[in-house]
Amino acid sequence: MSFLNPILFAALAAVAIPVIIHFINFRKPRKIAFSTLAFFQELQKSTIRRLNLKRYLLLALRVLGIAMLVTALARPFLPPQISGWLGASSGQQVIALLIDNGPSMMQIDEAGPYMDQAKTAAREVIEQSSDDARFLIVPSHGEVESGRIMRRAEALRYLEDLEPLNKGGYPAERMRLLQERLADQPGQSGHAYWISDARKTHLQKFKDNYNNDDPESEHSVTFIRVGDDSFQNISVASVELTDHVLGEGIPVGVAVTVKNFGDQPAYNSYLSLEIDGERMGQYDVDLEAGQEKELLFEVIPESPGTIGGKAILEGGTYTFDHKRYFSIDVPESRNVLLIGDEGEDRSRRSYLKPVLDAVSETGTRVKAETTDMRNIRDHELDNFDALILESPEQIPDYLQAELVQFVQQGRGLFFVPSEKGSMSEYNRFLSQFDAGSYSGMRGTYGRFEEVASFQPLSEGHILLDDVFQSDEDELRIDMPTIYHYLRYDRDAGTSGTSLLRSNLDEPLFVEHRFGDGMILVGTMGFSPGWSNLSIKPLYAPLVYRMILYAVAWEQGGVREHTLGRSFDRQFADIGTSVTMKLNGDEIRPETASGGQGLRVRYPAVEWSPGWLEMNLDEKKYVIAVNQDISESDFTSLSITETEEFLEESLSLAGVLDITGYSESEIRTAMADISFGREIWSLFIIIALAFMIAECIISKTYKTETGADKQA
């Protein structure tokens, strides 16, 4: 017999309570002198003997009752071999094992590789189970190749083939699968083991995603922790573009973040950037414990199309996360639709159309079309990369719904308010994008009284970088005067970036990401009643860059799939032919066409880092596939922390630490916890029996007999 919670035997100290009470109540009879003592002395001896017997019997029953209750709390059980001999188990036993085979299991401590320790523990559980036991082995990462109930020999062969994988981790999904398979075995007893290095990010992912609709049917789980404390690990954490304007011959900045996840400094590493197989530069990298650095590279696209790149880190012990893939989509042209509102009398003039016309006529990368709000249905919005909504007094509900889908699918929307527009209607529209709200106004439209000006622009501003040449940090530009603009508030909890601000430090143009796309919200229009911007030299380049910014919604890393999630993307294109390849291997996804375009889905459990190439008819997409950065953090939880972490989600039988154990020690530990049948209820029954006996004896046991009284 063994115990799942032996630490609770400390509660045996409670047996001292009835003993203490016994000695407190123990008092010797007081002697009283009497002339004739023979009869009374004999009666006294007989009574004392009976009284002492009763007291010692009640004391023993109380002590034994408490001891049985404490033993029940320690959860005694019989190993499978013994429970089988005694006929304790009903039906065949099914043992399920969830084995962590993520990248962190590549670590090595004094007892050997983590994965080998996990396999040794699993092997001992299998070999020490009863002869008729059946087994289910489920890995935490990658695909589940078997997923069926196996006999001992087959389970051992499957176990030997398990290796650490740099693929997606699915701890919650795999635990649900394990519990469902156990529940599908009627008439059979079952128990589950989870063998892992107790990595914090791994367990957090489990806690965030695991739920059981029927907790009462859940089988208990024993968690077995392998491996020593966390080791040093550095990785490429992210790759992003610093520039939103992409085009042939235009320099683009690539920011690579490198992080040290360990508690020791890391030196003598090197970071390089590779574009289409060509190295673009290299940095020496030294990182203190927990430090991260952002390193910048410059790339100049030579032609339109998709550029495949990767950041490569050299140095360190564990290299699975030393490459991070990204893609840069350099457009040949971008299609923009300007949606104006001429007003009921058709007198309103567009101040953006001349800029777009000039852009289209000079052979730039932007192809622009214009239309009026009344004729919007004559255009297929999916044919455009960005929409400019210039000064609408109202936005019809049907168009609002289409614009929300347009941005969600990864496109840009540039919203410019009208002086005649309703702020409440505008706010209702912006709320659908979580894009803040207008809260008032400054100045009066058309009065031409200065209320503010543009905030001075610094060299390298995101909208004007490389437009002006200057040797100073601040550009010497005659900043436009503002006569009227709307005051704007970002809602709490929403993200947004102010691209331009007034000298009162209030936003003039704010970018908000929504879905896969972006909405650029203006607080002022471009007609003279708002400001004198339209007559300034700054006007044309500023508006041109704003339009480019709106259409440049694709960034390196935005089109990225993170391992550990199913692939589920919506594409505006409705193609008749869809092909996918990951690292050269062909993939057959599930597709569905609908009003929002083409939906492409695939489980992606077997995917590894690389580039996913998709062809929808004649259009090509390249998506970077990278491991979840949480896999790089090897920080583990202690036994106490692990137990507290998991008992909220699981029916936890116990947590066992085999850190540093040899094979023989692991064998012994597994023999102790190899689950047979819990018998704590038997000890509860015995304790109740002792308590009932104590009550009966205390009421019925007499210190004198009837004969004694008569005498």
Side-chain angles (χ1 to χ4, degrees):
M1 182 174 66
S2 299
F3 302 89
L4 292 178
N5 296 321
I7 193 173
L8 293 182
F9 273 118
L12 279 175
V15 302
I17 297 175
V19 176
I20 294 172
I21 294 175
H22 169 78
F23 283 108
I24 290 176
N25 292 333
F26 184 77
R27 295 188 301 270
K28 294 182 179 180
R30 186 172 54 181
K31 295 181 179 180
I32 302 176
F34 197 71
S35 57
T36 305
L37 297 177
F39 172 77
F40 292 101
Q41 286 176 347
E42 186 63 29
L43 180 61
Q44 182 184 34
K45 292 179 182 179
S46 175
T47 302
I48 290 175
R49 282 196 300 269
R50 292 176 182 272
L51 181 61
N52 286 340
L53 179 61
K54 175 181 179 181
R55 285 175 173 171
Y56 286 122
L57 183 58
L58 292 178
L59 175 63
L61 290 174
R62 290 163 184 163
V63 169
L64 289 172
I66 294 175
M68 293 300 103
L69 288 176
V70 172
T71 304
L73 290 175
R75 297 185 66 181
F77 67 90
L78 297 176
Q81 299 89 338
I82 299 177
S83 62
W85 295 339
L86 299 178
S89 59
S90 60
Q92 193 178 68
Q93 188 181 37
V94 178
I95 295 176
L97 298 106
L98 173 59
I99 300 178
D100 188 346
N101 65 327
S104 66
M105 297 297 283
M106 300 176 185
Q107 297 178 88
I108 302 174
D109 64 7
E110 59 184 10
Y114 283 15
M115 194 67 202
D116 288 353
Q117 297 177 49
K119 290 164 71 171
T120 299
R123 187 186 308 112
E124 293 300 331
V125 169
I126 294 172
E127 291 181 343
Q128 296 184 35
S129 300
S130 59
D131 293 338
D132 63 345
R134 296 295 180 265
F135 307 93
L136 170 66
I137 301 177
V138 178
S140 64
H141 288 64
E143 60 269 45
V144 180
E145 295 181 357
S146 174
R148 66 178 184 275
I149 306 297
M150 298 176 282
R151 294 181 181 273
R152 176 178 280 106
E154 184 183 2
L156 290 173
R157 287 195 300 270
Y158 180 83
L159 180 65
E160 288 305 312
D161 292 336
L162 275 182
E163 296 296 338
L165 297 175
N166 187 22
K167 296 184 177 181
Y170 308 88
E173 293 85 344
R174 299 297 160 81
M175 179 59 73
R176 278 198 296 269
L177 170 64
L178 184 148
Q179 293 286 352
E180 290 169 2
R181 294 303 309 276
L182 287 177
D184 289 341
Q185 308 299 316
Q188 299 183 6
S189 60
H191 185 69
Y193 295 89
W194 184 356
I195 308 176
S196 173
D197 60 352
R199 186 163 43 84
K200 182 177 180 179
T201 54
H202 189 65
L203 297 184
Q204 182 65 59
K205 186 176 182 180
F206 169 82
K207 185 177 180 180
D208 292 341
N209 294 282
Y210 186 76
N211 56 74
N212 189 0
D213 297 332
D214 187 10
E216 294 183 359
S217 67
E218 187 173 89
H219 290 75
S220 58
V221 178
T222 299
F223 188 92
I224 302 173
R225 183 185 189 272
V226 301
D228 208 334
D229 205 353
S230 58
F231 288 79
Q232 172 185 299
N233 184 48
I234 59 175
S235 74
V236 181
S238 66
V239 179
E240 297 179 349
L241 295 189
T242 61
D243 304 279
H244 292 252
V245 180
L246 302 176
E248 181 181 351
I250 299 178
V252 57
V254 179
V256 181
T257 301
V258 183
K259 184 173 182 178
N260 179 5
F261 286 94
D263 56 4
Q264 299 293 326
Y267 303 119
N268 301 321
S269 297
Y270 303 92
L271 176 70
S272 58
L273 192 75
E274 192 176 282
I275 299 292
D276 291 337
E278 181 181 353
R279 181 166 293 188
M280 307 302 295
Q282 188 177 74
Y283 285 95
D284 293 338
V285 179
D286 294 330
L287 295 170
E288 298 299 327
Q291 183 184 12
E292 66 177 29
K293 284 185 180 180
E294 184 180 82
L295 304 171
L296 298 177
F297 297 86
E298 183 178 82
V299 177
I300 303 177
E302 297 179 354
S303 61
T306 300
I307 297 175
K310 54 187 173 183
I312 304 172
L313 185 64
E314 300 174 52
T317 305
Y318 305 100
T319 60
F320 71 93
D321 52 4
H322 284 194
K323 290 182 182 178
R324 198 154 192 94
Y325 297 83
F326 64 96
S327 62
I328 302 175
D329 187 17
V330 182
E332 183 174 355
S333 65
R334 293 293 194 186
N335 298 321
V336 179
L337 178 63
L338 173 63
I339 306 172
D341 189 351
E342 297 178 350
E344 295 183 0
D345 56 359
R346 297 181 179 269
S347 61
R348 185 176 294 130
R349 173 187 173 187
S350 171
Y351 281 82
L352 293 179
K353 186 175 183 302
V355 178
L356 287 174
D357 290 342
V359 167
S360 298
E361 292 173 1
T362 54
T364 57
R365 297 175 307 278
V366 176
K367 296 180 179 179
E369 296 183 30
T370 60
T371 187
D372 185 75
M373 188 71 72
R374 299 179 179 86
N375 303 316
I376 186 63
R377 289 198 176 275
D378 295 337
H379 296 268
E380 182 62 47
L381 299 186
D382 287 341
N383 293 332
F384 297 92
D385 299 296
L387 302 178
I388 303 174
L389 206 57
E390 183 184 17
S391 305
E393 292 187 21
Q394 293 182 338
I395 308 172
D397 288 342
Y398 76 87
L399 181 58
Q400 292 190 33
E402 292 184 15
L403 293 177
V404 169
Q405 292 181 7
F406 183 85
V407 176
Q408 278 181 328
Q409 293 171 358
R411 295 174 169 83
L413 175 63
F414 187 4
F415 176 74
V416 181
S418 168
E419 70 278 5
K420 296 182 179 180
S422 166
M423 279 197 291
S424 61
E425 289 296 315
Y426 284 167
N427 288 339
R428 185 169 68 89
F429 171 63
L430 294 178
S431 67
Q432 299 182 62
F433 300 91
D434 295 326
S437 60
Y438 298 116
S439 59
M441 62 180 67
R442 286 195 183 275
T444 304
Y445 180 82
R447 183 170 290 184
F448 305 106
E449 295 179 353
E450 180 178 352
V451 295
S453 66
F454 277 50
Q455 194 176 72
L457 302 177
S458 300
E459 179 69 27
H461 190 280
I462 193 169
L463 292 179
L464 296 175
D465 191 23
D466 295 329
V467 173
F468 301 98
Q469 297 296 326
S470 174
D471 296 330
E472 302 177 11
D473 291 337
E474 186 173 305
L475 297 174
R476 293 183 177 272
I477 301 174
D478 184 14
M479 303 308 296
T481 298
I482 304 174
Y483 310 126
H484 174 65
Y485 66 98
L486 305 180
R487 304 187 69 179
Y488 176 85
D489 293 328
R490 288 206 301 257
D491 295 335
T494 63
S495 60
T497 303
S498 296
L499 303 184
L500 289 173
R501 305 182 72 89
S502 72
N503 63 340
L504 302 178
D505 202 31
E506 292 182 326
L508 299 178
F509 295 94
V510 184
E511 170 209 3
H512 281 275
R513 291 284 162 177
F514 181 73
D516 288 336
M518 176 266 288
I519 178 172
L520 182 58
V521 181
T523 64
M524 55 175 285
F526 295 102
S527 64
W530 295 90
S531 71
N532 65 354
L533 173 63
S534 60
I535 62 172
K536 294 287 186 180
L538 179 66
Y539 177 61
L542 179 63
V543 173
Y544 172 58
R545 283 302 185 101
M546 282 187 180
I547 295 170
L548 283 182
Y549 191 89
V551 300
W553 47 271
E554 292 172 329
Q555 301 178 57
V558 170
R559 281 197 171 177
E560 179 183 40
H561 176 75
T562 301
L563 296 175
R565 307 170 188 171
S566 61
F567 183 84
D568 191 343
R569 294 270 178 136
Q570 192 85 26
F571 296 88
D573 312 82
I574 303 180
T576 57
S577 174
V578 180
T579 60
M580 292 174 61
K581 286 186 177 182
L582 177 62
N583 300 327
D585 296 331
E586 188 171 348
I587 297 167
R588 295 183 178 180
E590 175 187 345
T591 60
S593 298
Q596 299 181 5
L598 183 69
R599 187 177 185 183
V600 181
R601 291 182 290 184
Y602 189 74
V605 293
E606 79 280 15
W607 286 7
S608 298
W611 288 296
L612 177 66
E613 297 180 4
M614 296 186 60
N615 290 282
L616 277 65
D617 288 339
E618 298 181 356
K619 192 166 185 178
K620 181 178 179 180
Y621 296 89
V622 177
I623 300 173
V625 178
N626 289 303
Q627 69 271 9
D628 191 331
I629 191 59
S630 67
E631 298 285 356
S632 299
D633 189 350
F634 291 168
T635 304
S636 296
L637 297 177
S638 67
I639 289 297
T640 302
E641 292 170 333
T642 301
E643 188 168 4
E644 294 174 351
F645 217 81
L646 293 178
E647 63 186 3
E648 299 178 13
S649 307
L650 292 173
S651 174
L652 195 63
V655 177
L656 174 67
D657 186 7
I658 59 172
T659 297
Y661 279 24
S662 64
E663 286 196 20
S664 61
E665 290 172 329
I666 292 177
R667 183 176 300 109
T668 302
M670 294 304 103
D672 289 340
I673 70 161
S674 293
F675 199 84
R677 185 189 181 196
E678 286 196 68
I679 55 173
W680 59 268
S681 57
L682 177 62
F683 286 87
I684 292 289
I685 294 173
I686 295 173
L688 290 175
F690 283 141
M691 293 179 183
I692 293 172
E694 190 268 346
C695 292
I696 293 174
I697 291 174
S698 63
K699 294 293 184 182
T700 61
Y701 192 100
K702 302 297 184 180
T703 57
E704 299 176 341
T705 64
D708 291 330
K709 292 179 181 179
Q710 188 174 4

